[in-house]
Amino acid sequence: WTGLILPAIVMYVMGWLWYGMLFKAQYMAAMPDAGAAMPTTTYVYGFINTLVAAIGLGLVAPRLGDGWAGGAKAGLIIGFFFACTTEAMGFIYGGRDTSLLPIDLGYLLVMYIVGGAIVCGLSLGRRGTAA
């Protein structure tokens, strides 16, 4: 479980750093309500969502890569072909502010790359087999 909980925590903290520090000004400009206080449940659901992503990485990434670098590559593949394309739908059909596109997609790519590296790096030598 350490190989799933640790990446979830790291990925969640990365979101706070990404949106709360690195790109805070750009995000606040594009999302006027972004500074409003959110209920605690929002953060709990956000962490649960991140944990589910880490579990998914734990199931798939070891089949695509081994070790830290292999996990990063697997995270890049999963992040780009699944997470980014799914997130892009909100911009394509949902009318979201396109200035957020590079911020949101960039975060997803970094999150999945780092998460995949941690998942596979911590399970070094225990590569999964295809079902």
Side-chain angles (χ1 to χ4, degrees):
W1 282 100
T2 302
L4 298 175
I5 300 292
L6 182 61
I9 292 170
V10 170
M11 292 159 59
Y12 190 77
V13 169
M14 286 175 54
W16 173 74
L17 291 171
W18 193 268
Y19 290 101
M21 298 183 127
L22 291 174
F23 296 101
K24 183 178 183 174
Q26 297 94 320
Y27 200 76
M28 297 291 271
M31 301 276 295
D33 294 335
M38 288 187 258
T40 305
T41 54
T42 301
Y43 297 104
V44 171
Y45 295 147
F47 181 75
I48 291 169
N49 188 64
T50 305
L51 179 61
V52 170
I55 292 169
L57 280 171
L59 292 170
V60 177
R63 289 168 167 71
L64 299 174
D66 200 8
W68 299 92
K73 179 181 135 192
L76 174 64
I77 292 167
I78 294 165
F80 181 78
F81 288 104
F82 297 99
C84 287
T85 56
T86 301
E87 180 74 10
M89 294 300 247
F91 292 93
I92 295 168
Y93 295 107
R96 292 181 57 196
D97 186 337
T98 55
S99 68
L100 293 174
L101 189 64
I103 296 171
D104 289 347
L105 299 187
Y107 166 66
L108 287 171
L109 281 177
V110 171
M111 179 184 87
Y112 276 87
I113 290 168
V114 171
I118 294 170
V119 164
C120 291
L122 292 179
S123 64
L124 195 59
R126 293 186 304 231
R127 187 176 179 141
T129 56

